[in-house]
Amino acid sequence: MGGLQKKKFESGAVTNYITRNKARKKLSLSLPDFRRLCILKGIYPHEPKHKKKVNKGSTAPRTFYLLKDIRFLMHEPIVGKFRAYKIFVRKLRKAYAKAQWSDVERIRENKPGYKLDHIIKERYPSFIDALRDLDDALSMCFLFSTFARTGKCHVQTIQLCRRLSVEWMNYVVASRSLRKVFLSIKGIYYQAEVLGQTVTWLVPYQFAHDHPTDVDYRVMATFTEFYTTLLGFVNFRLYQSLNLLYPPKLDSKAETELKAAGEEDYAMDSESYLEKLSALSASLARVISTAEEEEAEPDHFPAEGEDLERMEEREKAQKEQEAQKRLFEGLKFFLTREVPRESLAFLIRCFGGQVSWDKSLCIGSTYDVTDETITHQIVDRPSIEKQYINRYYIQPQWVYDCINAKILLPVEDYFLGVTLPPHLSPFVEEKEGDYVPPEKLKLMALQRGEQPAKEQEDEEEDDDEEEEVDDDDDDDEEEEEDDEEAEEEELADEANLKKMEQQRSQGKALSVKVTPGKVKAENRLRTEEEEKAEEKRLAIMMMKKKEKYLYDKIMFGKKRKVREANKLAAKRKAHDEAGKADKKKKKAKKQ
Amino acid sequence: MSKAKDKSSKKRNIEEDEEQLPIFDNNNKNAGALDNDEGDSDVSDSEESVFSGLEDSGSDSDDDDDDDDDDVEEEDADEDLDNEDANVKANGQSSGDAETTERPSDDVSKPKHDEKSSKGKRMKKKERKKERGEGEEKEKSDGDAGLKVLAQVDEYEHDTSDEEDIRNTVGNIPMEWYKDYPHVGYNLDGKKIFKPIRNKDELDEFLDKMENPDYWRTVQDKMTGTDIRLSDEQVDLVHRLQEGKFGDVNFNEYEPAVDFFSNEVMIHPVTNRPMDKRSFIPSLIEKEKVSKLVHAIKMGWIKPRKPKETEPQYYDLWAKEDPDAILGRHKMHVPAPKMRLPGHEESYNPPPEYLLSEEERLAWEQQDPEERKLNFLPQKYPCLRAVPAFSRFIHERFERCLDLYLCPRQRKMRVNVNPEDLIPKLPKPKDLQPFPTTQSLVYLGHTSLVRCISVSPTGQWLVSGSDDSTVRFWEVGTGRCVKTLEVGGAVKSVAWNPNPAVCLVAVSFEGTVLLVNPGLGDKLVCSATDQLISSYEPPVEQREQPVQWNEAESREQELGHRLVLQHPKAVKQVTWHGKGDYLACVMPDNSSHLQVVIHQVSKRRTQNPFRKNKGLVQCVSFHPVRPYFFVATQRYVRVYNLIKQELTKKLMANCKWISSMAIHPGGDNLICGSYDCRLTWFDLDLATKPYKVLRHHKKALRGVAYHKNYPLFASGSDDGSVIVCHGMVYNDLLQNPLIVPVKVLKGHTITHDLGVLDVTFHPTQPWVFSSGADGTVRLFT
């Protein structure tokens, strides 16, 4: 036949993909540069549907990028900057080797740099897009801002990260947009709602880092470079939206107040300013200094039926949120030196409370321990010597729990030296059939406005609840049990028959007796159910192989979930019983 | 200029050498020459002292030292040379002694050239270069021509560079070349210099060594071949140099350094060189350059360097929301999934049930880090103060970074399937009645597994064969064992003749197939059967048959045995043709073609239908109406046309090992049970592949059966259950058979991993019989 023979792997899916090495060569970049470019431009590999076809028949593991993506990268001006940088390094090295110090100086001065503004704009065409992707940026900035200013990365980066994270925190305080907070063993999770987007970030505890050796800090630094730029622009926009000055300035009133204290400890003015900002104790200056802005009342439209319900629901939620925003309003806190100051100050200020700390702890304290109007003092030690009568001495977890519960919890459980109630994650939303820890149930009752009963009753309630939970879990088991019972009955019948028949076969005269038969109470519901179950079982037998597999998988997942919930419940039960037994023992000992 | 210099230097050299000659010869200083030297040096004194004379001299002397050291090292081996060297040094020193320390350069230079004279030219050249360099420096620094002249006069005063040892003009050659000649070279006049007559042999040398007290300080001058006795001073010098001291005794190496270029401003210039003229005149070149720059600045070509921005500048990037900014790629973009939010177990103070128990913790530790469900160990701390830093914090962030730029992203549509929707909608079993639902009778009596059962065509009797080598006849309705036949081996197969006019049962055990008339039911039928058998008349021509037909003996006749067919191999299965005249027997054997035989009872004839062995035959069956014959081997079912004697179809069972087979009474459908738990339904009109494969048994299938009238089929398996299915076959060819499982019947206990061994349906009622390994036969109605 005529025509050229078609070569393999020259059309179809192959043409859409390119391997990493080829892409790198096409862009004529070194691997680290290529990696950096991908990070900055947000290009990620793609998994082809038919890997073998794309890999030209080979099954070797390769990374594939979309050819379109790589073509897109070719137009990036930053690629040129990368090359310029490469040349810069070469020139500098040469000048060094020749000991031409003036040249070194000159080359240094002309070090090529690049900006990421256009990339930010390109990757996030609208502001909301940027907000959506802020989680990682914040976590990274908060992590970098805790690094020591030696080694690992540039000091400027660390300072910039610190500045941006402080700015962010100040924004959250000013906008009162924090919603949830969680003390985990990894760090502190915060969740804020900014312009309708939930932003979650993780802040490590304030300790020096033990820098691991198997982490490539260059990759992290590249990410940070991008994230700082993003966060800077986002911060600018957010500050603008609140009519705040950017870069943030302290309120003039607050500034004069703060000026007196601790100014002389800092060598540089800028340094002390950042510290003051990060103290979070003062409000920020506004572009147009107005009193509290009035919230725009949403117009009410007449609505019907479902819409009305939904509207009401929304209104209710909004009201709740408003209430949460003013959670700590009117309360005056004092932090002792062993509690995490920054986190607590941030939280208390976010919810409208007043906060101060010891003068020697940090700049920016507004009042002293001796202040009589302090309502809560947050202490994290077993006991404190000098106690004022008119304030509560509580452990820091109270603040976190209150925020998550959206109400002021009773302080009794959080007094000094008291075993704290468990700290629950606010991010878990229990669905039907999931395990709910009893503390959460209690909390939900509190939120509904039910008064917590006395402890004894409480315990009983707990038990009831647990039992309920158990019942739910047992339902499935019961079914099985029923089946088993039925089977057992059958077995018994058969055994009887067998006996009789054996007797007969052995030729013994049967003791012919008519015994009154038992009336089997026919449980119609039950038989119906059984029938249905059998029907289902038979239908399952007729499933196709593929569907059967899927069905089995789904059922396995469901069963596992139930099993896990049961396990947790059982564990809790065992734990509670052990606790009770201990209590009894103690009582007995006392008597 | 250089030529003139050379000439003058040569002359001077000659003079010098002449001056020095006596020094050499006499080992005494030549006062006159020295005076002359001094006189010369006086002239240069001012210049020399001015011009870093000290330094130069220092360096010179240093050089010398170095050279000497080198020499010492080099020539340690050569004693003679050494001595001579020492001699030279001593010479130099002696001359130096007399001189003032004011001019060290001078007195060092002398021994230098002395030594040069005795050594190779190499050094000289070096020296020369140095000197010349010095000279040039001088020239440069000198602004005035007059000074230069002065310097020139001075310069070669003590030049030792071009000097040659004029006593011998051979030049710088190895003196060994003259080894074989009587002379050692030529003097200035071209006369040969003869070696001194010395015919000292070893002995003389020795004697000399012994007797001459000055032997140790005697050196041979190779150039002249004369012996030279070193003076005391020379010896002393050699010693000093060997000790690494300065050659000059009086030289003080620790003289206080004079800091010329100190921070103090002197009233006198360091040099007395007048200022250059060019230092007073503005430079034209510079002026030009400056004017160019000024012009460039004026024109705005040169701008002041912008201060570098160290702080990043932020502005409202999203001030204008332009729709053009949204590219096509943004629609394709898959945003990275957010980090998983933490659960209760991550809390620093979790509820107690979330903490891992000891075993769970161990299991967690032994798991691969990638397999772990939680990437941390839940822990409880009594207070916030006690919480430590999380050691893997940076790791986790880094891993997240890697995920962000290295992981391929894909939009996966997660279909939220309701599992109930996956279950096929089938007609309710209730609507498909009748079918057997409960166990109603158990036929007890067999002591071992019941391999096979068969029901009489009337449905009144049931026959069962067991491994306890008995065949029992049961009355179906009552469960009573009517008759028991003892046979000679484990019964493999029984089959009741399907012809209702005949009462005959085929029983196979080992190699024997018995045709039994149980004498049950209608007497007339029984007697008719007996007649039928006895009415056989052997044909005229006896043909060779693979099977022996024997009539039963009279004693056995009473028990019911009628005919005994002796087969060459063990018979596994017997099955009747629908009309009841033909009987097929299976003798599975992988190596021969005699696996299936078909007997014609009325003519007592046996046929072997197959010439070839097509695999191990499992079971055979006749088509209920048409002349087809089904043979099931391990994997295939072959359908033969008995009239045309050809293969019509080969069905692929898609299973490993067929165990049993049953034909639908309509004849167009077929089910096969296999040992790999499958039941395959073939629609012969559709394809050679199964229409449906059912995997509802957990273990190997042993028996399958169709009902004659009702659309039912049953399968018995090793898991002890009999599954009854509704298998409706429509007359309409376009409609596929409907298969619905309707009942799982359980009753047999599993013994020795065997459950149900055979199933069969009642010919008229929707009842199913099953025989099991527990020695029972059960009836489900």
Side-chain angles (χ1 to χ4, degrees):
Chain A
M1 298 295 281
L4 281 172
Q5 198 182 358
K6 253 192 168 180
K7 273 189 185 168
K8 250 182 163 183
F9 308 122
E10 280 193 346
S11 61
V14 194
T15 50
N16 294 334
Y17 293 97
I18 185 168
T19 62
R20 188 186 63 176
N21 223 17
K22 271 195 185 151
R24 197 180 61 70
K25 274 182 188 152
K26 192 162 191 173
L27 295 167
S28 63
L29 287 174
S30 66
L31 188 58
D33 277 346
F34 178 69
R35 193 185 293 148
R36 198 179 306 149
L37 187 66
C38 283
I39 292 171
L40 294 177
K41 295 281 283 181
I43 303 292
Y44 46 86
H46 279 256
E47 189 90 344
K49 248 185 194 165
H50 304 288
K51 214 166 178 192
K52 208 174 162 190
K53 267 186 203 167
V54 172
N55 212 351
K56 307 203 170 166
S58 148
T59 48
R62 283 217 174 87
T63 324
F64 291 100
Y65 288 86
L66 276 185
L67 192 63
K68 259 186 193 171
D69 283 349
I70 300 304
R71 286 220 186 98
F72 172 70
L73 286 184
M74 284 172 83
H75 302 296
E76 179 55 47
I78 277 197
V79 177
K81 292 282 182 317
F82 282 168
R83 292 187 192 127
Y85 192 82
K86 197 175 72 184
I87 292 160
F88 156 76
V89 169
R90 201 163 59 206
K91 277 182 182 166
L92 194 68
R93 199 182 299 138
K94 213 178 244 177
Y96 251 113
K98 289 180 179 172
Q100 297 165 335
W101 305 119
S102 61
D103 284 3
V104 167
E105 196 87 335
R106 180 177 50 77
I107 294 167
R108 272 257 173 79
E109 231 156 63
N110 292 327
K111 180 180 173 179
Y114 53 85
K115 285 193 162 183
L116 299 175
D117 306 8
H118 64 284
I119 293 185
I120 304 266
K121 176 82 184 178
E122 181 190 276
R123 278 179 70 173
Y124 307 108
S126 69
F127 182 55
I128 296 298
D129 294 333
L131 275 183
R132 251 178 235 150
D133 227 13
L134 214 57
D135 286 17
D136 289 311
L138 280 170
S139 296
M140 197 64 133
C141 275
F142 273 96
L143 170 65
F144 264 66
S145 61
T146 58
F147 278 177
R149 279 155 179 66
T150 49
K152 293 310 164 203
C153 61
H154 293 298
V155 178
Q156 287 93 333
T157 317
I158 296 170
Q159 274 168 345
L160 183 63
C161 282
R162 174 75 186 150
R163 191 193 120 186
L164 292 171
S165 48
V166 165
E167 280 169 12
W168 170 260
M169 283 203 288
N170 269 310
Y171 167 75
V172 173
V173 168
S175 64
R176 295 209 177 169
S177 49
L178 196 71
R179 294 286 169 271
K180 287 169 183 175
V181 61
F182 177 51
L183 291 168
S184 93
I185 52 173
K186 293 182 182 176
I188 306 175
Y189 287 88
Y190 298 95
Q191 191 173 64
E193 201 178 299
V194 181
L195 303 182
Q197 301 290 329
T198 49
V199 181
T200 317
W201 71 97
L202 173 61
V203 181
Y205 288 116
Q206 292 279 348
F207 290 105
H209 291 283
D210 188 10
H211 285 289
T213 49
D214 51 345
V215 161
D216 189 355
Y217 278 90
R218 282 179 306 174
V219 171
M220 301 252 278
T222 314
F223 268 103
T224 314
E225 192 183 348
F226 177 75
Y227 285 150
T228 47
T229 321
L230 169 66
L231 195 57
F233 285 116
V234 168
N235 275 350
F236 186 92
R237 173 88 181 206
L238 288 174
Y239 272 71
Q240 211 184 30
S241 71
L242 281 189
N243 271 336
L244 292 171
L245 283 174
Y246 188 89
K249 290 249 157 44
L250 292 177
D251 222 350
S252 55
K253 189 174 66 180
E255 203 169 354
T256 46
E257 273 175 27
L258 276 178
K259 200 145 225 173
E263 190 86 322
E264 64 280 358
D265 294 346
Y266 295 92
M268 276 164 67
D269 225 23
S270 60
E271 211 173 292
S272 74
Y273 206 80
L274 185 64
E275 288 291 323
K276 268 187 243 165
L277 269 178
S278 62
L280 294 168
S281 63
S283 51
L284 300 178
R286 291 182 184 263
V287 178
I288 315 149
S289 56
T290 51
E292 279 293 300
E293 267 177 55
E294 285 160 33
E295 288 283 317
E297 283 275 314
D299 292 340
H300 286 278
F301 295 103
E304 281 173 23
E306 274 185 41
D307 277 354
L308 191 72
E309 264 178 39
R310 221 178 292 154
M311 191 105 99
E312 271 172 10
E313 237 171 67
R314 217 181 300 146
E315 256 171 49
K316 201 181 162 193
Q318 192 142 14
K319 239 179 225 173
E320 227 172 66
Q321 221 176 67
E322 284 302 307
Q324 196 200 358
K325 275 182 190 175
R326 287 159 214 267
L327 187 65
F328 292 144
E329 225 152 75
L331 300 185
K332 240 177 157 182
F333 291 86
F334 189 84
L335 311 179
T336 47
R337 53 174 64 249
E338 69 275 4
V339 299
R341 187 204 65 81
E342 194 173 285
S343 168
L344 280 168
F346 174 54
L347 292 182
I348 292 165
R349 292 265 299 127
C350 267
F351 294 94
Q354 275 179 295
V355 65
S356 180
W357 45 84
D358 199 72
K359 236 185 246 161
S360 58
L361 182 60
C362 182
I363 195 172
S365 67
T366 43
Y367 46 86
D368 224 10
V369 209
T370 51
D371 195 334
E372 291 291 320
T373 53
I374 290 173
T375 55
H376 294 77
Q377 182 160 346
I378 299 175
V379 186
D380 195 6
R381 47 182 116 170
S383 64
I384 195 162
E385 282 166 18
K386 197 185 170 193
Q387 292 203 355
Y388 292 83
I389 285 176
N390 57 350
R391 65 176 79 157
Y392 293 119
Y393 286 84
I394 46 168
Q395 300 198 36
Q397 196 189 318
W398 181 78
V399 178
Y400 296 88
D401 281 351
C402 282
I403 290 165
N404 292 337
K406 301 180 185 175
I407 46 171
L408 289 180
L409 293 171
V411 286
E412 292 87 27
D413 297 341
Y414 298 90
F415 280 154
L416 298 193
V418 170
T419 320
L420 289 167
H423 180 61
L424 297 174
S425 165
F427 303 113
V428 180
E429 270 160 25
E430 278 92 358
K431 272 173 266 161
E432 184 112 1
D434 283 354
Y435 172 74
V436 187
E439 285 85 9
K440 179 118 184 178
L441 294 171
K442 232 189 275 179
L443 189 78
M444 271 145 68
L446 260 179
Q447 277 170 335
R448 264 178 266 128
E450 290 163 24
Q451 283 299 316
K454 286 196 174 174
E455 269 201 18
Q456 281 291 325
E457 285 171 38
D458 226 325
E459 269 175 28
E460 277 166 30
E461 246 176 55
D462 273 3
D463 289 357
D464 291 347
E465 277 158 8
E466 268 164 34
E467 273 162 32
E468 269 171 40
V469 170
D470 289 347
D471 285 350
D472 290 344
D473 301 333
D474 288 346
D475 276 352
D476 292 309
E477 287 165 21
E478 256 174 47
E479 260 179 42
E480 282 165 28
E481 274 170 27
D482 291 349
D483 290 348
E484 279 167 23
E485 273 172 33
E487 270 171 30
E488 271 170 28
E489 274 172 31
E490 271 174 33
L491 278 180
D493 282 355
E494 201 167 293
N496 268 343
L497 261 174
K498 234 182 200 172
K499 226 186 210 172
M500 274 164 69
E501 269 166 34
Q502 257 179 3
Q503 277 175 349
R504 203 196 297 172
S505 61
Q506 279 164 12
K508 276 181 194 168
L510 280 174
S511 52
V512 182
K513 222 199 283 176
V514 180
T515 46
K518 278 180 203 163
V519 180
K520 271 192 185 170
E522 281 247 329
N523 192 346
R524 200 184 292 166
L525 262 177
R526 191 160 169 174
T527 45
E528 227 168 73
E529 243 172 50
E530 263 172 42
E531 250 171 45
K532 257 187 193 164
E534 195 180 356
E535 224 172 84
K536 199 173 158 187
R537 234 176 295 145
L538 290 171
I540 286 169
M541 285 199 308
M542 281 306 286
M543 265 184 182
K544 278 177 200 159
K545 199 176 173 186
K546 226 175 177 178
E547 285 173 354
K548 182 84 191 294
Y549 177 72
L550 182 62
Y551 180 82
D552 282 350
K553 240 174 140 183
I554 294 173
M555 292 318 273
F556 177 77
K558 277 190 172 175
K559 271 188 189 153
R560 189 179 49 194
K561 233 180 204 175
V562 171
R563 221 181 315 134
E564 268 164 22
N566 285 351
K567 199 175 158 193
L568 283 176
K571 252 180 158 182
R572 179 67 182 217
K573 209 173 180 184
H575 180 266
D576 284 353
E577 267 164 22
K580 266 182 200 169
D582 271 1
K583 261 187 201 170
K584 269 181 195 169
K585 260 187 201 172
K586 270 181 194 170
K587 265 186 193 172
K589 264 187 190 175
K590 270 181 193 174
Q591 283 168 0
Chain B
M1 188 182 82
S2 61
K3 264 186 186 176
K5 230 191 261 176
D6 278 351
K7 269 181 192 170
S8 60
S9 68
K10 255 186 191 170
K11 269 184 192 170
R12 225 159 283 127
N13 275 339
I14 292 163
E15 282 169 17
E16 235 172 39
D17 282 333
E18 272 171 356
E19 286 160 19
Q20 283 167 358
L21 261 175
I23 302 174
F24 247 103
D25 289 341
N26 304 341
N27 292 333
N28 284 322
K29 47 198 166 170
N30 187 330
L34 268 177
D35 279 346
N36 195 2
D37 256 355
E38 265 184 308
D40 281 345
S41 67
D42 276 345
V43 182
S44 67
D45 199 357
S46 63
E47 198 266 329
E48 284 263 12
S49 64
V50 161
F51 219 84
S52 63
L54 257 181
E55 269 180 17
D56 274 356
S57 68
S59 70
D60 268 0
S61 63
D62 275 352
D63 279 354
D64 270 0
D65 268 348
D66 285 346
D67 288 344
D68 290 345
D69 281 350
D70 283 350
D71 291 340
V72 170
E73 273 166 25
E74 273 173 21
E75 295 156 23
D76 254 347
D78 196 349
E79 217 186 8
D80 285 1
L81 250 183
D82 205 353
N83 281 343
E84 176 196 306
D85 231 336
N87 183 13
V88 169
K89 295 284 149 58
N91 220 348
Q93 215 218 316
S94 63
S95 64
D97 272 347
E99 279 173 11
T100 50
T101 50
E102 198 184 291
R103 295 225 17 221
S105 70
D106 209 354
D107 61 26
V108 175
S109 71
K110 252 180 203 160
K112 206 191 298 170
H113 73 234
D114 286 352
E115 143 205 357
K116 292 278 154 57
S117 63
S118 63
K119 267 201 285 168
K121 231 178 189 175
R122 189 170 49 88
M123 302 301 284
K124 279 180 202 159
K125 272 183 186 161
K126 227 195 241 171
E127 214 98 341
R128 198 187 304 159
K129 262 184 202 161
K130 207 184 285 165
E131 296 280 345
R132 212 172 262 171
E134 225 171 84
E136 272 161 18
E137 263 180 76
K138 281 170 195 168
E139 276 170 32
K140 265 184 206 166
S141 56
D142 289 355
D144 285 3
L147 263 175
K148 210 191 253 172
V149 172
L150 224 175
Q152 265 189 349
V153 170
D154 249 13
E155 195 177 358
Y156 298 106
E157 186 67 17
H158 306 289
D159 190 6
T160 55
S161 59
D162 276 337
E163 93 196 8
E164 271 165 47
D165 193 350
I166 36 174
R167 289 167 299 163
N168 191 347
T169 56
V170 286
N172 184 19
I173 54 156
M175 293 312 286
E176 293 94 73
W177 292 355
Y178 284 94
K179 201 167 56 183
D180 300 334
Y181 295 99
H183 59 279
V184 285
Y186 306 92
N187 62 12
L188 264 181
D189 303 329
K191 297 275 168 53
K192 283 178 181 171
I193 304 172
F194 287 97
K195 285 179 190 167
I197 302 155
R198 53 153 83 182
N199 32 15
K200 278 184 185 171
D201 51 3
E202 291 288 316
L203 190 60
D204 290 334
E205 191 82 13
F206 179 70
L207 288 177
D208 199 20
K209 202 176 188 176
M210 287 292 114
E211 286 163 6
N212 192 359
D214 289 336
Y215 179 81
W216 60 275
R217 55 161 74 175
T218 315
V219 199
Q220 192 193 10
D221 184 1
K222 272 193 183 162
M223 289 297 268
T224 51
T226 50
D227 283 346
I228 299 165
R229 182 182 164 278
L230 297 183
S231 64
D232 283 343
E233 287 86 2
Q234 283 169 332
V235 170
D236 200 30
L237 181 66
V238 169
H239 282 309
R240 289 175 65 79
L241 290 177
Q242 273 173 342
E243 283 164 21
K245 290 177 185 167
F246 279 95
D248 188 358
V249 188
N250 301 321
F251 180 67
N252 182 9
E253 60 221 85
Y254 302 111
E255 251 177 312
V258 181
D259 198 1
F260 273 92
F261 303 102
S262 64
N263 56 346
E264 287 165 32
V265 181
M266 307 280 201
I267 48 167
H268 297 298
V270 178
T271 68
N272 60 358
R273 198 181 131 198
M275 301 277 267
D276 286 337
K277 185 187 176 186
R278 63 170 179 264
S279 62
F280 298 107
I281 304 167
S283 162
L284 278 177
I285 301 165
E286 276 176 14
K287 186 190 161 196
E288 203 175 344
K289 270 186 186 168
V290 169
S291 66
K292 263 186 187 170
L293 286 174
V294 168
H295 182 63
I297 290 168
K298 234 189 232 171
M299 300 302 285
W301 298 335
I302 297 180
K303 279 169 194 149
R305 193 174 283 146
K306 275 181 206 158
K308 275 226 165 173
E309 287 172 8
T310 47
E311 289 264 303
Q313 293 299 310
Y314 299 120
Y315 49 91
D316 194 354
L317 192 66
W318 294 278
K320 293 185 291 203
E321 301 257 341
D322 52 336
D324 297 342
I326 299 166
L327 306 171
R329 19 184 324 106
H330 287 114
K331 282 165 202 154
M332 289 289 293
H333 180 75
V334 183
K338 295 200 168 189
M339 291 282 273
R340 213 177 58 81
L341 289 171
H344 297 311
E345 62 277 354
E346 210 182 305
S347 165
Y348 87 101
N349 182 14
E353 61 267 31
Y354 286 99
L355 293 172
L356 296 187
S357 64
E358 195 64 23
E359 302 103 57
E360 282 169 330
R361 200 175 56 77
L362 279 176
W364 185 89
E365 271 163 6
Q366 275 165 5
Q367 258 176 338
D368 232 26
E370 280 163 18
E371 283 172 6
R372 285 173 188 163
K373 218 173 158 204
L374 294 174
N375 54 3
F376 57 91
L377 266 178
Q379 244 150 6
K380 191 179 184 109
Y381 297 98
C383 55
L384 189 58
R385 186 187 60 216
V387 183
F390 185 59
S391 58
R392 288 193 54 82
F393 195 93
I394 296 179
H395 270 118
E396 285 193 356
R397 198 99 289 283
F398 178 61
E399 271 156 26
R400 170 74 179 167
C401 287
L402 290 187
D403 284 352
L404 284 177
Y405 89 92
L406 280 182
C407 281
R409 293 183 203 166
Q410 217 167 23
R411 240 182 256 277
K412 278 222 165 141
M413 301 306 279
R414 171 150 295 194
V415 195
N416 238 340
V417 183
N418 186 7
E420 299 301 319
D421 296 345
L422 289 174
I423 299 171
K425 292 278 166 291
L426 294 174
K428 282 190 178 173
K430 245 190 218 166
D431 309 338
L432 300 174
Q433 273 169 346
F435 55 82
T437 50
T438 51
Q439 172 182 302
S440 53
L441 274 178
V442 183
Y443 304 88
L444 292 166
H446 281 297
T447 54
S448 184
L449 21 144
V450 185
R451 289 243 178 231
C452 44
I453 43 174
S454 181
V455 191
S456 73
T458 52
Q460 199 183 352
W461 312 101
L462 174 75
V463 61
S464 65
S466 159
D467 269 12
D468 58 1
S469 53
T470 58
V471 177
R472 282 171 191 260
F473 295 87
W474 314 85
E475 192 175 9
V476 169
T478 57
R480 185 185 290 268
C481 180
V482 188
K483 204 171 182 183
T484 308
L485 272 183
E486 296 266 347
V487 292
V491 181
K492 286 277 151 47
S493 175
V494 291
W496 207 295
N497 195 321
N499 188 355
V502 178
C503 180
L504 207 57
V505 177
V507 178
S508 79
F509 59 93
E510 291 170 359
T512 316
V513 173
L514 268 183
L515 292 182
V516 177
N517 184 359
L520 297 172
D522 201 344
K523 285 267 163 53
L524 280 174
V525 172
C526 291
S527 55
T529 311
D530 282 345
Q531 259 184 2
L532 190 78
I533 290 172
S534 55
S535 67
Y536 167 74
E537 285 177 14
V540 187
E541 293 175 42
Q542 277 288 346
R543 272 205 288 170
E544 190 68 21
Q545 294 206 38
V547 171
Q548 279 187 333
W549 292 75
N550 296 326
E551 295 221 0
E553 290 162 24
S554 58
R555 191 170 51 81
E556 285 169 339
Q557 285 271 0
E558 281 166 29
L559 288 170
H561 296 201
R562 293 292 175 266
L563 286 171
V564 182
L565 287 80
Q566 288 295 344
H567 290 72
K569 279 170 280 185
V571 178
K572 194 191 161 199
Q573 192 214 356
V574 285
T575 181
W576 288 96
H577 183 252
K579 297 237 172 78
D581 196 17
Y582 289 95
L583 176 70
C585 297
V586 180
M587 298 174 281
D589 181 2
N590 221 353
S591 54
S592 86
H593 63 277
L594 185 68
Q595 292 197 73
V596 181
V597 284
I598 298 175
H599 309 295
Q600 192 178 10
V601 177
S602 59
K603 293 188 179 164
R604 301 200 185 171
R605 227 169 57 185
T606 303
Q607 284 178 314
N608 175 18
F610 302 118
R611 296 263 163 67
K612 265 186 195 167
N613 171 19
K614 292 273 175 77
L616 197 64
V617 177
Q618 296 300 313
C619 50
V620 295
S621 181
F622 287 100
H623 192 280
V625 275
R626 265 175 275 173
Y628 288 139
F629 190 57
F630 297 83
V631 179
T633 53
Q634 270 188 29
R635 284 160 178 257
Y636 304 103
V637 178
R638 290 185 172 80
V639 186
Y640 294 95
N641 189 332
L642 286 174
I643 290 176
K644 286 185 184 170
Q645 302 226 322
E646 62 181 17
L647 179 72
T648 46
K649 227 168 221 174
K650 186 178 161 193
L651 308 174
M652 252 88 70
N654 281 356
C655 56
K656 299 266 165 58
W657 199 309
I658 294 172
S659 65
S660 50
M661 174 176 63
I663 321 285
H664 191 265
D668 280 346
N669 293 283
L670 174 85
I671 48 174
C672 279
S674 75
Y675 288 117
D676 51 350
C677 320
R678 292 173 199 218
L679 189 144
T680 47
W681 175 295
F682 290 97
D683 192 330
L684 295 180
D685 296 335
L686 281 177
T688 57
K689 298 254 168 65
Y691 159 66
K692 200 129 208 174
V693 179
L694 306 176
R695 289 180 198 77
H696 45 218
H697 279 293
K698 300 251 162 32
K699 282 187 179 166
L701 271 79
R702 294 270 170 186
V704 289
Y706 269 114
H707 198 280
K708 275 231 171 73
N709 305 320
Y710 291 104
L712 289 174
F713 66 90
S715 56
S717 140
D718 275 348
D719 57 4
S721 67
V722 175
I723 294 181
V724 181
C725 297
H726 177 89
M728 187 65 176
V729 177
Y730 299 96
N731 287 331
D732 182 6
L733 281 175
L734 290 176
Q735 206 164 3
N736 286 330
L738 170 78
I739 300 170
V740 183
V742 286
K743 190 71 192 172
V744 179
L745 298 167
K746 283 182 182 167
H748 287 283
T749 49
I750 296 167
T751 40
H752 308 300
D753 279 340
L754 295 173
V756 181
L757 294 176
D758 198 7
V759 286
T760 182
F761 274 103
H762 192 272
T764 49
Q765 298 294 325
W767 298 347
V768 68
F769 299 94
S770 67
S771 70
D774 54 351
T776 60
V777 179
R778 284 161 200 256
L779 169 66
F780 299 95
T781 54

